[in-house]
Amino acid sequence: VPQIKQDMQEIYQAVEQLNPVMANPQEVRDPKNHKVVLSSLSKIEQKADSVESHGGKTDHRFVLGAHMLRTMAEQSKEHYQAKRFDAASSQVRKMAHTCFDCHSRTPGAKADDSFAKLSEKLLASEVTTTERARLLMATRQFEKADKLYQKILSEQNFKWYEFSHNSPLLDYMILKIRVVPDFPGLNKQLAIIAQSMELPLYLSEYLKAWQKSLVRIQKDKSLQEISLAAAKANLQAGNEVGSYHLDRTVLVHYLQASRILGQLLATKKLTAGERSEAYYLMGVSEVMTGRRFWLSQAASYLEAAIRTSPQSESARKAYRMLEEHIIIYAFSVQPEFLKTSQFAKKLQELKKTMAVKS
């Protein structure tokens, strides 16, 4: 949609203006930058509103994603005006990663020139090697990202205990399965890691299971088709190798299911019910493969499942999953979160959409 693309380009430009200032502790505190910070944050709020408005008519995933961008911009502005500069900068980083994470999900797409230019300026700023690799992947500079991830994963000081949170290994598997499928290449890299480093038992067993799953998918055509049946078959295969809740042994099959579903949703050949089920299954796979529930796309996929076909069984399952995660998250923070958060308000809105009885 031309309007959405225009709005997103303006959001990128605003982030481009913000990043050099917000990434520098001195610059973010300098009064001379007050005007550009507030105007850029206001631009993001305004354009996120526009994306939410136009995107909801064509793809329900835009709704929550744009809502989250606007909320982050609002929170960053509030922190900045209260002189909580570190908190304001943190929200800007989250906005950037939200945009990049979303744009690293379309298999085979080419980099947008304006987005690539933005990445060049961000890469010129002080970012970690892992952040640099994510920027390269997000702007679809796959060959460079591949080489940098291999370098990161070969370093002896790589922190394996961080695997479950923002892990370069997880990013690399996403790149080689969901974005640019290369099962032999990934299998080879996993074997190198397994042989060259002393790993904790859990990760060593994960590597073995992932290698077996990659071989299985390559041999079984029914796990490669672009269909709902193939996506569900991969999820089932993952569940068969996993032995407990959140067992990451399932990762390869879940990422394969996510790749299949992403391609399915890019077509217009699905009925509303089928599209709702595809969104729901994307949400299920994203809960397992995303870095964190609220910073991933899981919530937006589940909401899309509900809005696409509100009276369907997939919508009911999606609502149940979304509700459960919100309640669990609320009590990990504070019970009052259930009444005041934007997520809780979103639940009430979706409940009305579905006509779900309390």
Side-chain angles (χ1 to χ4, degrees), residues 71-133:
T71 300
M72 290 175 188
E74 291 172 350
Q75 291 175 348
S76 183
K77 184 189 289 187
E78 180 181 336
H79 289 312
Y80 186 80
Q81 291 176 321
K83 297 185 178 181
R84 297 189 292 268
F85 299 116
D86 290 342
S89 297
S90 175
Q91 290 299 323
V92 170
R93 285 195 299 274
K94 288 179 182 179
M95 279 190 283
H97 283 299
T98 296
C99 292
F100 299 149
D101 192 47
C102 183
H103 277 79
S104 66
R105 291 172 184 278
T106 308
K110 296 180 180 179
D112 184 289
D113 290 341
S114 61
F115 202 58
K117 290 177 182 177
L118 169 60
S119 76
E120 289 175 8
K121 295 195 175 183
L122 290 178
L123 287 168
S125 63
E126 295 182 6
V127 296
T128 67
T129 306
T130 299
E131 288 173 332
R132 186 178 299 275

Side-chain angles (χ1 to χ4, degrees), residues 255-272:
L255 284 173
Q256 174 69 352
S258 177
R259 182 184 75 82
I260 291 170
L261 292 163
Q263 291 193 28
L264 269 179
L265 288 167
T267 72
K268 297 182 179 180
K269 298 178 181 179
L270 300 176
T271 65

